[in-house]
Amino acid sequence: AVFPPRGAAASPACGAVGAAALDPRTGRCHYPRGAAAAVRRRLEPWGLVSWHGRWYVVGRDEDRAATRVFRLSRISGDVAMEGPAGSVVVPEGVDINASVRMLAQPATSRTARLLVSNGRAVPLRRQGSLVSEGAEGTVLDVPFEDTEQMASVVCAFGSAVKVMAPDDLKETVVRRLRATLDSVSIALPGGAS
């Protein structure tokens, strides 16, 4: 059975991949190969699975002619669908849950050190462990595994949360905030912007 991803954990690719898995047809997407940059991949999706708090698509990787598991949060860019709906046939006896358990790489757990404004970001406070408290706010250590997903969570709290470490999370948050500012155009009185 395919269950559509919901909530903050869902990647931008979820909609297209989920639709393709519900009415199977081939899709093309960018996906990293190990530590290398993302490359274009062609996938016949068989289904979506949530495992250990992450969403995965299971299917046949046409480029490798093998069953593969792609973590949705690692798919970048748009997903381009090909062929008519229903053109992919899920092989008889495929257990997509077992495929995820067998093929999904275990995530590396990391810790974000965050400065949280007093009385703000309660969900992060529940997740994290207290490091110190002061007039500027509370310093928390919060476990995370996916940098992009954690950056999304941090950005959702706006100025109430500041990343102290690690540097790659800090850079990702700054990149996201700059992209948001660049996309916002504010019209000022007198025609200036």
Side-chain angles (χ1 to χ4, degrees):
V2 176
F3 301 96
R6 294 184 184 177
S11 123
C14 284
V17 174
L22 287 167
D23 202 351
R25 55 191 176 135
T26 303
R28 288 188 183 273
C29 63
H30 283 92
Y31 195 80
R33 184 174 288 165
V39 294
R40 196 78 168 152
R41 305 287 283 273
R42 190 165 177 252
L43 177 73
E44 291 185 351
W46 297 339
L48 295 175
V49 176
S50 176
W51 189 62
H52 289 260
R54 284 177 181 71
W55 283 97
Y56 297 87
V57 59
V58 179
R60 178 178 168 78
D61 184 336
E62 291 287 306
D63 302 308
R64 294 189 175 185
T67 301
R68 289 289 187 262
V69 173
F70 289 3
R71 196 162 91 197
L72 289 186
S73 64
R74 297 185 73 201
I75 293 174
S76 60
D78 293 331
V79 177
M81 306 317 300
E82 299 176 347
S87 59
V88 170
V89 177
V90 180
E92 194 73 32
V94 166
D95 182 342
I96 61 172
N97 292 307
S99 296
V100 170
R101 285 192 302 272
M102 185 173 63
L103 297 174
Q105 296 179 353
T108 304
S109 185
R110 301 176 65 201
T111 302
R113 180 149 291 182
L114 307 175
L115 175 62
V116 180
S117 298
N118 291 323
R120 306 285 302 277
V122 173
L124 286 175
R125 291 173 182 278
R126 288 184 184 139
Q127 271 187 289
S129 55
L130 177 67
V131 175
S132 65
E133 288 184 292
E136 291 184 18
T138 305
V139 177
L140 300 172
D141 279 347
V142 179
F144 75 100
E145 292 165 1
D146 184 277
T147 303
E148 290 290 339
Q149 183 178 351
M150 187 63 179
S152 179
V153 169
V154 169
C155 288
F157 290 108
S159 62
V161 178
K162 178 182 175 187
V163 177
M164 300 171 76
D167 287 340
D168 66 322
L169 177 59
K170 219 187 287 191
E171 291 163 10
T172 303
V173 168
V174 168
R175 176 181 46 81
R176 283 174 171 249
L177 293 174
R178 282 192 179 135
T180 300
L181 284 174
D182 290 346
S183 68
V184 175
S185 174
I186 302 173
L188 299 175
S193 59

